[in-house]
Amino acid sequence: MRKVTLADVSAAAGVGVATVSRALGDHPDVSQVTRDRVRTIARELGYRPSVAARALRSGGYQAISVVVPDAAWGWWEPVVRAAFAAAAEEGYQLLVHPVAGAAGGAASVVRSLANVPTEGVVVISVPDQDGVRRACDDAALSAVAIDDTSRTVRFPTVSVANRHGAREVVRHLIAQGRRRIAMLVTDFNSADVANWGDGLFVDERLAGYRDALEEAGVAFDEALVIPCASPFDETAKEWPELRRALADGLGVDAVFCVADLMAVAAIRSVRAEGLRVPEDVSIAGFDDERAALLTDPPLTTVRQPYEQMGRLAVELLLRSIRGDELDESRIEIEPTLVVRESTAVAR
């Protein structure tokens, strides 16, 4: 059925569209008799006013936006849910805008928000810091980033304390008697890393790995840091780079994956070399996304503070919208170690 419009109500009531609009909106210039007659006709015709238009007219519509990255890796989904709840508590709608392969990436998505009734934007993962910053300024939008991929900071930025989290998980492996701990990292020379900036999170997690070794008196061995191509490829069966390291007799007794998505292929690689997980080789990750619960065995990992990051980003954004001057600096939230069956005491 065709949607009933103000023009339809106007024709049936024999008054102008403006009068219909004022009658439905309790405008004082319209008599009670006309108001009642217009509302009766509108009800009989099945007219339903636009909630959004009504809110915009009354000044009661408040919205902020979040731009999510163009990647299959969905770690940001619980962040968005927490941001949605935090925005709702403050009377704001949260509009979600995926990059989804848009030409120009996140910057072009932000520019398009100039035509959207939104007051500010949270951008998740910002490899193009300068471009996105310019787009926010051009659209006159307050902005906050949730990002740990780029060394450059051009926004108030929320991220996980990557170095702290990596240190905690490697400490856990060492406490279980593991000493030959390999770390699987991103090979930025071969991987598709368009969404991951200059790899700050990888360097920070590697630094935490080295911190834990040093404090335990375990010598750092460069050969145990293993770069892998396409580390976020969910279809990867094995990591050839890890299999070669195991076959070369490096004596690996644990593997720390820079991200949970690498863990399934790591487990397969270890088993392909005739080793058991976790009896012979413990395996741990970082992020605690859904993949961590689907591995066999379930994965020991570092849980990112997704809910806190989403809520803090909204809090900062609303402060900016309300006039607070915020520093273009990074706020790091400590993650939590989650121990599951993929790690065990060394035999």
Side-chain angles (χ1 to χ4, degrees), residues 20-82:
V20 171
S21 179
R22 288 196 294 269
L24 296 175
D26 284 331
H27 198 282
D29 289 348
V30 180
S31 70
Q32 187 64 49
V33 172
T34 300
R35 185 181 297 121
D36 291 344
R37 186 165 64 87
V38 167
R39 289 183 174 180
T40 298
I41 292 170
R43 186 166 53 251
E44 290 172 351
L45 293 176
Y47 172 75
R48 297 182 62 190
S50 166
V51 175
R54 184 173 58 199
L56 285 169
R57 285 195 300 271
S58 66
Y61 183 87
Q62 294 177 297
I64 56 177
S65 292
V66 58
V67 175
V68 299
D70 185 17
W73 190 21
W75 65 268
W76 40 262
E77 186 267 339
V79 174
V80 172
R81 279 192 282 110

Side-chain angles (χ1 to χ4, degrees), residues 113-134:
L113 299 184
N115 301 314
V116 174
T118 189
E119 297 181 42
V121 58
V122 175
V123 187
I124 299 179
S125 187
V126 195
D128 179 15
Q129 291 274 333
D130 289 332
V132 175
R133 177 74 267 177
R134 285 192 299 272

Side-chain angles (χ1 to χ4, degrees), residues 242-250 273:
L242 176 58
R243 289 202 62 180
R244 283 195 294 271
L246 294 169
D248 288 345
L250 287 178
E273 293 299 319

Side-chain angles (χ1 to χ4, degrees), residues 57-341:
R57 285 195 300 271
S58 66
Y61 183 87
Q62 294 177 297
I64 56 177
S65 292
V66 58
V67 175
V68 299
D70 185 17
W73 190 21
W75 65 268
W76 40 262
E77 186 267 339
V79 174
V80 172
R81 279 192 282 110
F84 180 90
E89 289 167 9
E90 295 293 328
Y92 278 78
Q93 301 291 325
L94 185 73
L95 312 176
V96 180
H97 311 269
V99 173
S108 68
V109 175
V110 170
R111 279 192 291 272
S112 72
L113 299 184
N115 301 314
V116 174
T118 189
E119 297 181 42
V121 58
V122 175
V123 187
I124 299 179
S125 187
V126 195
D128 179 15
Q129 291 274 333
D130 289 332
V132 175
R133 177 74 267 177
R134 285 192 299 272
C136 291
D137 292 342
D138 291 344
L141 288 173
S142 296
V144 170
I146 298 177
D147 180 63
D148 62 358
T149 67
S150 302
R151 289 169 177 78
T152 302
V153 175
R154 299 281 282 109
F155 303 88
T157 300
V158 178
S159 75
V160 63
N162 284 293
R163 186 167 185 166
H164 172 86
R167 185 165 55 242
E168 289 302 300
V169 73
V170 177
R171 280 175 175 168
H172 165 72
L173 294 171
I174 292 170
Q176 291 189 323
R178 308 293 174 168
R179 291 298 182 271
R180 298 289 294 169
I181 304 170
M183 182 173 179
L184 302 189
V185 298
T186 305
D187 182 354
F188 278 95
N189 294 319
S190 61
D192 178 12
V193 292
N195 291 304
W196 310 116
D198 50 23
L200 174 65
F201 73 103
V202 176
D203 289 349
E204 288 292 302
R205 294 177 191 183
L206 179 57
Y209 164 83
R210 297 191 66 160
D211 289 344
L213 295 179
E214 182 178 354
E215 71 179 19
V218 177
F220 172 73
D221 184 347
E222 187 72 44
L224 290 175
V225 178
I226 304 172
C228 297
S230 301
F232 303 113
D233 178 5
E234 294 178 323
T235 67
K237 301 297 184 185
E238 298 175 350
W239 300 120
E241 302 89 346
L242 176 58
R243 289 202 62 180
R244 283 195 294 271
L246 294 169
D248 288 345
L250 287 178
V252 172
D253 61 10
V255 177
F256 169 39
C257 302
V258 76
D260 289 349
L261 276 181
M262 303 184 73
V264 173
I267 291 170
R268 292 195 191 106
S269 299
V270 169
R271 288 173 173 163
E273 293 299 319
L275 300 169
R276 300 168 297 167
V277 178
E279 293 86 350
D280 301 316
V281 179
S282 283
I283 294 184
F286 198 115
D287 293 321
D288 198 27
E289 62 161 320
R290 285 185 292 268
L293 292 171
L294 300 177
T295 61
D296 178 22
L299 188 67
T300 291
T301 187
V302 178
R303 177 172 176 76
Q304 289 210 44
Y306 300 116
E307 292 80 9
Q308 289 172 270
M309 290 194 294
R311 285 188 163 273
L312 179 56
V314 168
E315 176 188 322
L316 293 172
L317 183 60
L318 294 182
R319 283 178 53 194
S320 178
I321 290 170
R322 291 161 182 165
D324 287 0
E325 292 289 335
L326 304 181
D327 293 336
E328 292 182 355
S329 60
R330 192 185 307 276
I331 300 173
E332 294 188 346
I333 305 175
E334 289 189 359
T336 306
L337 177 66
V338 179
V339 178
R340 298 193 181 100
E341 291 85 351

